[in-house]
Amino acid sequence: MAHTHSDDHSGHDHGAGHVHGSTDKKRVLIAACLTGGFMVAEALGGLLTGSLALLADAGHMLADAIALGLAWYAFHLAGRPATGRLTYGFGRVKTLVAYTNGIAIFVIALWIVYEAWGRLLAPSPVLGGPMLVVAVLGLLVNIGSFLVLHGGDRESLNMRGAILHVLGDLLGSAAAIVAALVILATGWTPIDPILSVLVSLLILSTAWSLMRAAAHVLLEGVPPSLDRDLIARDIEATVQGVREVHHMHVWSLDGTSNMATLHACLTEGVDAYQAVSTIKKRLASKHGISHATVEPEFGQCADDGDDHDHDHEHDAAAHHDHHHQA
């Protein structure tokens, strides 16, 4: 049986990805410095004014400064070449960091809810004036960080995680401003923990969606924009000499770079090299899969073995129902 293994990379995509990665790395570093620098001032402000909203936002900013630092390091690692032990390189580190960031946001948000419950049961005095000043400065810093990150590649899970952290800080600062204004106007301090909880709940929902997306990549699931079975049928219908496609797996390395492996059962007499080349070009141009391994077959599938009497059609039907990609 002929076996051709070839990897097809799009040079244009690689170049674009490299530029995105380089600029995203700088953007994340700037945001990390801005966030970490102001976090200290906001924490001191929260302690001096007695504001949970400020302390909650400072807690967010502490975790976010660490998370942004990790995101920067993930971009740094992703630029390293593949090794004999890590044949895909370090690209997936960005996805791992995105998932870890989601968990960190969950922990912080739950801590704020716990603290807020204590404040509601036993209200404590809050200095509205100084709280307002610190909150406004925090909002300006967070807007700056958000604008820096917003220009980055939002298809990147790592960048989305970084933006999510800063967006959480921005909402926290806005909530602290509203709480300070209400306290100055009415003296009603429960608004401080109430708004802290509302911000935490908003952040929890977005953190959950980020974690789900990152987990899907780590589990090597089919990218949401692709349909494995439709791609297989498309190849069968458009590539001359391909009788059937089976044992097909489609996944993403980091949420942006899509890959596939498949067996192509060819009609007798077809040029295997030409068929494989055409399949790869079709996958890249039509489906955005720039890295593919195609195994051409004539007759029986090598993976079926001599002991199996099921044919290709049975195998394809079984795989049609199998949606989890290993």
Side-chain angles (χ1 to χ4, degrees):
M1 180 190 76
H3 185 159
T4 302
H5 177 103
S6 176
D7 299 328
D8 187 38
H9 295 277
S10 170
H12 175 75
D13 289 344
H14 179 75
H18 179 73
V19 171
H20 263 309
S22 178
T23 57
D24 288 351
K25 181 179 172 182
K26 292 175 185 174
R27 290 174 188 276
V28 168
L29 183 61
I30 292 169
C33 292
L34 286 172
T35 303
F38 192 76
M39 177 272 300
V40 177
E42 192 162 43
L44 290 173
L47 290 171
L48 292 172
T49 62
S51 167
L52 178 62
L54 282 183
L55 282 174
D57 198 39
H60 273 296
M61 292 185 84
L62 172 61
D64 294 352
I66 295 170
L68 289 167
L70 284 173
W72 173 84
Y73 189 59
F75 280 120
H76 176 70
L77 279 180
R80 291 186 180 180
T83 68
R85 300 290 294 172
L86 294 168
T87 56
Y88 279 126
F90 295 82
R92 189 158 280 188
V93 172
K94 294 183 290 184
T95 307
L96 193 59
V97 167
Y99 186 78
T100 306
N101 279 351
I103 294 174
I105 295 168
F106 255 83
V107 172
I108 294 165
L110 290 174
W111 172 78
I112 292 168
V113 171
Y114 173 78
E115 285 291 316
W117 179 250
R119 291 288 183 99
L120 286 170
L121 292 177
S124 56
V126 179
L127 302 177
M131 174 185 173
L132 180 61
V133 173
V134 175
V136 168
L137 289 174
L139 182 67
L140 293 175
V141 170
N142 288 323
I143 288 174
S145 296
F146 181 76
L147 291 175
V148 167
L149 293 176
H150 194 65
D153 178 16
R154 274 160 285 169
E155 292 296 313
S156 164
L157 280 174
N158 195 32
M159 182 56 80
R160 278 172 56 191
I163 291 172
L164 175 59
H165 273 284
V166 172
L167 187 61
D169 292 335
L170 204 152
L171 287 171
S173 294
I177 290 172
V178 172
L181 290 172
V182 170
I183 290 167
L184 285 171
T186 66
W188 193 58
T189 56
I191 188 67
D192 183 51
I194 288 170
L195 286 179
S196 300
V197 170
L198 287 176
V199 170
S200 294
L201 293 177
L202 283 172
I203 295 168
L204 277 173
S205 65
T206 47
W208 177 249
S209 65
L210 174 68
M211 285 176 66
R212 281 187 63 186
H216 190 73
V217 172
L218 292 173
L219 289 171
E220 298 189 342
V222 177
S225 60
L226 300 177
D227 185 314
R228 190 273 313 262
D229 298 324
L230 285 179
I231 294 172
R233 302 296 83 80
D234 175 66
I235 292 171
E236 292 170 353
T238 59
V239 180
Q240 190 173 5
V242 175
R243 192 159 54 85
E244 182 199 336
V245 170
H246 57 268
H247 284 317
M248 185 172 190
H249 300 279
V250 182
W251 72 100
S252 175
L253 186 65
D254 56 5
T256 56
S257 176
N258 298 327
M259 303 184 174
T261 62
L262 61 97
H263 291 193
C265 186
L266 306 178
T267 307
E268 289 296 333
V270 169
D271 184 334
Y273 174 83
Q274 184 62 43
V276 169
S277 178
T278 306
I279 290 169
K280 286 175 177 288
K281 288 175 182 175
R282 180 72 179 177
L283 288 172
S285 62
K286 178 70 175 177
H287 304 290
I289 299 172
S290 57
H291 181 119
T293 301
V294 179
E295 181 176 329
E297 297 171 345
F298 293 94
Q300 188 177 14
C301 175
D303 288 354
D304 287 348
D306 295 331
D307 296 333
H308 297 276
D309 57 0
H310 58 276
D311 58 16
H312 289 303
E313 285 72 27
H314 175 78
D315 180 73
H319 278 76
H320 182 83
D321 295 329
H322 180 60
H323 293 286
H324 173 72
Q325 302 299 307

